[in-house]
Amino acid sequence: MSSQATSTGGAAPEAAPVALAVTGISKSFAGVHAIRNLSFVARKGEATALIGPNGAGKTTVFNLVSGVYGVDAGAVTVNGVDVTHMPSRRRIGCGIARSFQNVRLMDHLSVLENLLVGQHIRAASLTDLLTPYRLFPNHRWRQEARQALADNGLERYANETVSGLPYGVRKRVDLVRATLAGASILLLDEPAAGLNPSETNDLRDHLNLLVAQGLTLVIVEHDMHFIDSICSNVVVLNFGEKIAEGPLSVVRQDPEVRRAYIGDGEN
Amino acid sequence: MSGYLTGVLVVLAFNVIAAYAVYLPMAAGQLNLGIAGFMAIGAYGAAFLTNEYGWSMLAAVPVASAAAGLVGLVIGFPVLRTHGIYLALATFALGQVIAAVFLNLEVVGGAAGYTLSAYAGPYVVFAAAIGVVLVMLYLSRTRFALYLTAVKSDPTVADLMGISVRGVQVAAFALGAMVAGFGGAFYALHYNFVEAQHFNVLLSVFTVLYVLFGGAQTVWGPLAGAMFFTLAPEALRFGEQWRYAIFALFIILFMAIRPQGLITTSLFQGFRRRSNEASP
Ligand SMILES: Nc1ncnc2c1ncn2[C@@H]1O[C@H](COP(=O)(O)OP(=O)(O)OP(=O)(O)O)[C@@H](O)[C@H]1O
Ligand SMILES: [Mg+2]
């Protein structure tokens, strides 16, 4: 079980296999370093938090891992496959899917149709492409999507057009869509932002369930209580660099972390 | 059916087919301003094959449409690298080039035009248009149509979901070209005469207008747009001199008030919700 394949120190005591490894990645935009020589791993069946002040580079990490941008240096490995130079479109096939901080659903489609798009990687055959699923209300892909909505208490929105829905609902649909790719690693960018306390509780239970099922989560979140109840490992970014890593209770005592958060009102 | 009515309905049939040829790429967010060029390929293809080789319509039409689709496929790859106004310009130029080629092609009569001996009657043309509508309705029920909307709506996210954005766009463009060729083939066979000048910019622009007016969000939009544009000017015949001015004014006002077109997804959702409320 001991996989010491990565260079990051201070891993969990009984280390599970590495699902996602980010090794020495850097990225700058027009000469400004957004990410600088960042390394961390997310282990299988665990939730890893990526935290840091606004503009620290958290979303950029997700963009680099999912391939929206290419890295300037370093490597990204997903389930043992080096995806550093793989086109973004093919990375989901390696078992990694993501949600978006600023909800990116297809506005003119219904909730159910958005989820069907999320299933694409598992429904990519020519038969799937040309089956008139809309003529069959109980077609298996629709059933599956409806079930996923029911699991999240969202079934009543199935046929609503996305653009008319409240932010909290769209945020949760964005997450459900990410889960429907059948990926083993999920990158979730502020999944609890804009949710009310009861919705946040439901989300926490749902994410813990996913972890219990063996999924690997990487969660960007500002709500420390939320992180505390899900994530076993926390990576702290500041100005694109990792300044601390470990369990939340340890990390939040770190003087550099406290300094980074001064005035941020979070710690 | 009176000769006048039949004539109008035949024009409607051709306009409906052309509208769907523009609709397919537009559903994926691509403006094809050169649709007339692909119609010309279908028209000249069917004319040439029936005239020179004595092919039956049954063989000539599919081959001529496939040729238009193939040109769309081959040209779609480089052309769809461009976006927005550049894509519009590229497809516009493409349509012009294709028409110019036929204009100078002596084997098909050049500028004098080309007369056909095979003939497709009005009912054949109606059947062709109905066939196109049915195929489009079928496609609109598939994942392919879903991906067209997804690619148009957010190409970055569609790509991250594993959808080949370029693949979908090129497929839509080529399929549209094929539909245009199909319509062009029947156009030639019905009127028994083709001339390159017919496949001009105005034809392309008008067809785009049908789709914009009807709405590109749903599969019904192009049908509604083509019907409106074909039938409304006929209905306005009482004010002969002013009818095009009145018509144009109406279009401008309409597009200002409802830029998303006549038929939209929210319109359908409104219907659905109302019928849900009606049933217990
Ligand atoms: N496409 C881009 N072009 C230019 N600069 C960018 C781009 N994407 C990110 N940046 C810059 O990189 C830095 C990190 O941004 P990023 O969005 O990753 O921060 P974040 O940690 O997610 O912040 P927040 O908590 O506000 O979401 C910022 O300075 C941002 O302006
Ligand atoms: Mg962010």
Side-chain angles (χ1 to χ4, degrees), chain A residues 53-60 101-102 189-190 220 222:
Chain A
N54 289 109
K58 307 176 295 289
T59 298
T60 303
Q101 180 174 354
N102 48 349
D189 203 343
E190 305 198 10
V220 168
H222 288 290

Side-chain angles (χ1 to χ4, degrees), chain A residues 219-236:
Chain A
I219 305 174
V220 168
E221 195 42 73
H222 288 290
D223 179 344
M224 293 300 151
H225 296 293
F226 187 80
I227 284 175
D228 205 22
S229 58
I230 305 171
C231 300
S232 46
N233 187 39
V234 176
V235 174
V236 190

Side-chain angles (χ1 to χ4, degrees), chain A residues 49-261:
Chain A
L50 197 57
I51 67 170
N54 289 109
K58 307 176 295 289
T59 298
T60 303
V61 171
F62 280 8
N63 283 336
L64 293 172
V65 170
S66 60
V68 175
Y69 305 128
V71 295
D72 294 341
V76 178
T77 308
V78 172
N79 288 323
V81 179
D82 183 348
V83 301
T84 315
H85 302 291
M86 186 183 279
S88 49
R89 171 167 72 86
R90 293 192 20 232
R91 295 191 188 189
I92 197 166
C94 296
I96 190 160
R98 67 173 289 188
S99 73
F100 298 87
Q101 180 174 354
N102 48 349
V103 184
R104 286 180 72 169
L105 295 169
M106 280 77 181
D107 275 348
H108 296 304
L109 294 178
S110 71
V111 167
L112 203 73
E113 287 168 330
N114 268 281
L115 299 187
L116 287 161
V117 172
Q119 296 165 333
H120 167 72
I121 194 71
R122 294 184 295 123
S125 75
L126 201 61
T127 319
D128 284 317
L129 193 69
L130 296 176
T131 302
Y133 73 92
R134 281 179 61 188
L135 300 179
F136 310 109
N138 294 322
H139 195 270
R140 73 179 167 112
W141 293 116
R142 295 178 97 177
Q143 292 276 38
E144 188 202 71
R146 233 180 264 121
Q147 186 58 50
L149 284 176
D151 292 345
N152 289 274
L154 295 166
E155 61 270 42
R156 67 179 172 285
Y157 301 109
N159 296 317
E160 299 278 329
T161 301
V162 161
S163 56
L165 293 173
Y167 182 78
V169 174
R170 299 212 312 269
K171 189 85 202 177
R172 284 183 293 159
V173 172
D174 189 75
L175 181 132
V176 176
R177 179 178 65 179
T179 64
L180 282 177
S184 58
I185 307 169
L186 295 180
L187 310 176
L188 307 178
D189 203 343
E190 305 198 10
L195 301 195
N196 65 37
S198 115
E199 288 172 335
T200 306
N201 274 335
D202 291 347
L203 176 67
R204 172 187 303 127
D205 294 345
H206 187 64
L207 294 185
N208 275 321
L209 187 71
L210 294 180
V211 171
Q213 288 168 353
L215 260 70
T216 308
L217 305 184
V218 183
I219 305 174
V220 168
E221 195 42 73
H222 288 290
D223 179 344
M224 293 300 151
H225 296 293
F226 187 80
I227 284 175
D228 205 22
S229 58
I230 305 171
C231 300
S232 46
N233 187 39
V234 176
V235 174
V236 190
L237 286 186
N238 194 26
F239 294 113
E241 282 180 288
K242 184 167 83 178
I243 57 171
E245 180 172 8
L248 183 64
S249 53
V250 175
V251 156
R252 72 195 312 169
Q253 303 305 327
D254 187 295
E256 199 174 348
V257 173
R258 301 189 80 106
R259 230 174 295 128
Y261 270 97

